[in-house]
Amino acid sequence: NFEEKAADMKNNFYEAIENRRSIYGLGNHEAVSEEKIVSLVNHMVKYCPSAFNSQSGRVVVLFKKNHQRLWEIVKETLQRIVPADKFAATEEKIASFAKGYATVLFFEDQDVVANLQRNFPLYADNFPLWSLQSSGMLQYMVWAALENEGAGASLQHYNPLIDDAVAAEWKLPASWKLISQMPVGSREAPAGEKTFEPIEKRVKVFK
């Protein structure tokens, strides 16, 4: 019945939030189908909150050779700037992301932000900040949804170093500003231990 379904959805929501972690031990076993990933990304993009309902979030989902090409771009870019004697650790980390089978790229459309600034000059300074806040919510929504489906993921930030190469490779609009990269794969190793600050230090309640 409806009450049971609602309770089950609530439990899944809380569990997804609690269990969502950065998974670095990725594999290319299809833990979640390509169709399901696209479906959940579409759903989260559609329903993510945004200032003035601006809907400035943009997403690119890369599979197979496109996923691999993204991490080749990251490797090629960093190889030019990281000293050779220190590159081995960087290369190993990049390779761990490439071992997955998908990457979700998150962008914010700067034309939307600029248009809001023109139309609502009183809030002009706030729109870039609100745009990033909306992007953060979208990234988290997708991440939690992937967790709920059983996939492993993490959030990476090789931007702005790779921005131009990514835009050129996939012929993306110039107004799309890259915010983060989310490699996705099967869970081949658990997340590390996580510690928590006392909640009393982080939350104040006044009655």
Side-chain angles (χ1 to χ4, degrees):
N1 59 32
F2 176 77
E3 288 78 10
E4 290 175 345
K5 288 182 179 179
D8 185 54
M9 288 174 62
K10 182 172 70 172
N11 289 337
N12 287 343
F13 177 72
Y14 290 141
E15 288 170 6
I17 290 175
E18 183 175 339
N19 295 330
R20 181 224 50 83
R21 297 291 307 281
S22 293
I23 303 298
Y24 294 102
L26 296 177
N28 63 1
H29 302 101
E30 197 174 83
V32 182
S33 70
E34 294 181 2
E35 293 75 14
K36 185 65 176 180
I37 290 175
V38 172
S39 176
L40 72 83
V41 166
N42 286 343
H43 191 80
M44 299 310 166
V45 169
K46 181 175 181 178
Y47 291 106
C48 180
S50 58
F52 287 61
N53 195 30
S54 56
Q55 302 176 53
S56 54
R58 304 288 183 266
V59 173
V60 171
V61 185
L62 305 174
F63 294 113
K64 298 183 176 71
K65 65 179 182 180
N66 290 288
H67 160 75
Q68 294 297 328
R69 179 58 187 146
L70 182 279
W71 296 107
E72 289 172 4
I73 287 172
V74 174
K75 179 181 174 180
E76 292 164 2
T77 302
L78 292 187
Q79 203 162 19
R80 292 193 290 267
I81 59 177
V82 176
D85 61 337
K86 293 182 171 62
F87 188 67
T90 299
E91 185 176 22
E92 183 179 358
K93 187 176 183 182
I94 295 168
S96 73
F97 304 138
K99 287 179 181 177
Y101 62 91
T103 302
V104 183
L105 302 179
F106 296 90
F107 300 79
E108 282 290 302
D109 192 333
Q110 300 307 293
D111 281 352
V112 174
V113 176
N115 189 52
L116 287 167
Q117 291 177 308
R118 285 191 295 270
N119 291 336
F120 303 96
L122 185 63
Y123 305 111
D125 291 343
N126 289 323
F127 283 118
L129 175 61
W130 290 340
S131 167
L132 290 176
Q133 290 173 348
S134 181
S135 180
M137 287 187 280
L138 176 57
Q139 293 166 59
Y140 187 79
M141 289 165 66
V142 171
W143 199 352
L146 288 168
E147 162 60 37
N148 196 51
E149 296 294 333
S154 68
L155 199 62
Q156 305 303 318
H157 301 88
Y158 290 100
N159 47 292
L161 296 173
I162 63 172
D163 290 19
D164 292 342
V166 167
E169 181 73 22
W170 288 284
K171 298 178 174 58
L172 303 176
S175 63
W176 288 25
K177 181 180 180 180
L178 184 59
I179 305 297
S180 65
Q181 307 85 52
M182 182 177 288
V184 180
S186 53
R187 294 166 174 261
E188 304 301 321
E193 291 295 320
K194 185 174 184 176
T195 60
F196 297 90
E197 287 289 310
I199 202 68
E200 294 79 11
K201 291 175 60 176
R202 303 173 65 190
V203 179
K204 293 185 182 294
V205 178
F206 301 92
K207 299 183 178 179

